[in-house]
Amino acid sequence: MRLLHTSDWHLGRSFHRVNMLGAQAAFVEHLVATVHEHGVDAVLVSGDVYDRAVPPLAAVELFDDALHRLAGLGVPTVMISGNHDSARRLGVGAGLIDRAGIHLRTDPAGCGTPVLLRDTHGEVAFYGLPYLEPALVRDEFGVTRADHEAVLGAAMDRVRADLAGRAPGTRSVVLAHAFVTGGEPSDSERDITVGGVAAVPAGLFDGVDYVALGHLHGCQTLTDRVRYSGSPLAYSFSEATHRKSMWLVDLDADGAVTAERLDCPVPRPLARLRGALDDLLADPGLTRHEEAWVEATLTDPVRPADPMARLTERFPHTLHLVFDPDRAPDDPDVSYARRLAGRGDQQIAEDFVAHVRGAGPDAPEQAVLRDAFDAVRADDTVREVAR
């Protein structure tokens, strides 16, 4: 069975105020053409279809067009909700859409109930694990710890239990939206840290033939059977070196996996430039970036006059300007943003406590801070979904 694994469409998202709907529509066109050209038997979409719980109308219309076109091909699609989606909104009409071969899996209670597709070698069971927010699904899975590893582990226990009751030789595919240990994040994924931990071990997914992951925006191979497709488009300059693609996965009669990367259309390349303004404007080696979307970090010791206007004369698609004067790390004039770079909310809070009272928080105080950040993030998730 030939599968096309994609994820993280983020329909409705912009790129530094640039409307990406046209590029997203071009990706949908490419997806449909790829399904037809490569004889795909099933399309897998591993979450974050939309960029937010209440997407703009234009994004909903594009999603509707994608569903109609995929259904028109007669090729089944299995799709889960991600942490950016409203699972309840995305799942509206799932029962009816299911009849058209579009299988939306957004309800955590259905993790152990597969979509069954058949080829000449028998059945393949597709299990959809939507994004599982620990604080919201702990009761459903009966876990004592409200963290990612506990709820995903419980969901996979249901998958393995269902699979054990099926005919010997039944092949299996899991779609999941999670941060798995070994994956490389970028700046454009929303933080899902709970209890100070965001990642879960890849071993949670043992026992199935292929795991189609979503959430991280870079295409990655954690093992031969556990892969991220990444987002089809770049949504931050941290993705400037990414090769945006999808996985074309062949699952043979015994469940062995072979995979090939298929490139996605690039609306415009990205470039991250760093240096003094005059150097960036004069450097002949930067000619290749003149039509790229540019993030420029200026290292001038004194902020130059009209930097954006001068940059856009050479690089008309400059979207982001950063000032980072070359100074020693202990220079008192180093910017607040630079001092905080690479620090998470927990560490910033702990540093603040140390600054105020002369000593950092002890273990119980660290736990209080962790619980507070977890509660706020979970509450934000509930409020967004309830809008």
Side-chain angles (χ1 to χ4, degrees):
M1 185 172 287
R2 174 162 283 187
L3 315 174
L4 186 63
H5 168 198
T6 179
S7 72
D8 295 273
W9 295 0
H10 288 279
L11 301 181
R13 187 165 186 164
S14 60
F15 181 77
H16 289 273
R17 300 177 302 283
V18 174
N19 188 318
M20 295 293 284
L21 202 66
Q24 291 167 342
F27 163 69
V28 170
E29 184 82 26
H30 171 72
L31 174 74
V32 171
T34 300
V35 171
H36 179 75
E37 177 184 349
H38 290 273
V40 170
D41 298 306
V43 177
L44 314 180
V45 186
S46 299
D48 281 353
V49 176
Y50 291 123
D51 188 55
R52 54 185 184 270
V54 185
L57 179 59
V60 177
E61 290 173 339
L62 179 56
F63 178 57
D64 180 65
D65 178 62
L67 294 185
H68 276 83
R69 298 185 69 178
L70 288 169
L73 291 172
V75 175
T77 297
V78 185
M79 183 177 296
I80 62 172
S81 49
N83 62 302
H84 280 250
D85 298 309
S86 165
R88 292 179 64 184
R89 283 190 174 86
L90 187 64
V92 168
L96 288 174
I97 296 173
D98 195 80
R99 300 178 187 178
I102 306 293
H103 307 283
L104 293 172
R105 292 297 180 262
T106 63
D107 184 358
C111 286
T113 304
V115 174
L116 297 174
L117 302 178
R118 179 177 289 275
D119 65 8
T120 55
H121 304 294
E123 284 189 331
V124 181
F126 292 82
Y127 297 90
L129 278 56
Y131 172 68
L132 303 174
E133 176 62 46
L136 303 183
V137 302
R138 62 182 301 175
D139 292 338
E140 165 63 34
F141 292 105
V143 297
T144 56
R145 300 189 336 270
D147 61 31
H148 291 293
E149 185 171 352
V151 297
L152 263 174
M156 282 303 301
D157 286 344
R158 293 187 183 184
V159 169
R160 284 185 283 263
D162 180 84
L163 195 56
R166 298 194 174 274
T170 299
R171 290 158 293 162
S172 54
V173 174
V174 164
L175 290 77
H177 196 86
F179 186 174
V180 178
T181 302
E184 182 66 32
S186 68
D187 292 343
S188 53
E189 297 111 11
R190 184 180 294 169
D191 182 23
I192 60 170
T193 300
V194 174
V197 179
V200 301
L204 279 183
F205 300 102
D206 287 350
V208 296
D209 294 312
Y210 184 70
V211 182
L213 292 173
H215 180 56
L216 299 185
H217 287 188
C219 182
Q220 301 171 61
T221 300
L222 303 187
T223 74
D224 286 343
R225 296 182 182 275
V226 182
R227 300 171 187 262
Y228 282 100
S229 67
S231 61
L233 297 167
Y235 292 113
S236 72
F237 278 102
S238 65
E239 301 169 58
T241 60
H242 286 189
R243 173 188 163 195
K244 295 301 182 181
S245 55
M246 302 178 286
W247 285 114
L248 187 67
V249 178
D250 285 314
L251 196 63
D252 75 9
D254 298 319
V257 169
T258 57
E260 175 188 358
R261 286 180 72 176
L262 302 179
D263 290 330
C264 294
V266 178
R268 190 180 295 278
L270 308 184
R272 305 183 92 174
L273 309 182
R274 181 183 178 89
L277 177 58
D278 288 343
D279 293 340
L280 296 182
L281 296 178
D283 187 349
L286 301 181
T287 301
R288 67 187 188 278
H289 298 309
E290 289 179 352
E291 293 305 315
W293 278 322
V294 167
E295 176 190 70
T297 299
L298 302 185
T299 60
D300 302 75
V302 177
R303 184 174 300 208
D306 299 322
M308 182 61 89
R310 293 170 64 190
L311 274 169
T312 54
E313 287 182 5
R314 182 178 187 188
F315 306 103
H317 305 288
T318 301
L319 300 180
H320 192 213
L321 188 58
V322 180
F323 295 97
D324 187 17
D326 281 336
R327 294 184 176 127
D330 57 353
D331 189 317
D333 290 330
V334 168
S335 72
Y336 180 70
R338 186 170 173 182
R339 292 199 301 272
L340 295 185
R343 285 177 161 83
D345 292 340
Q346 177 86 12
Q347 189 173 359
I348 292 170
E350 291 179 11
D351 289 347
F352 175 75
V353 172
H355 173 74
V356 169
R357 73 180 189 192
D362 58 22
E365 291 169 332
Q366 290 174 338
V368 169
L369 286 170
R370 218 169 16 248
D371 290 346
F373 283 121
D374 289 348
V376 169
R377 196 182 55 77
D379 184 63
D380 285 346
T381 300
V382 172
R383 288 174 182 272
E384 183 172 358
V385 171
R387 286 172 55 196

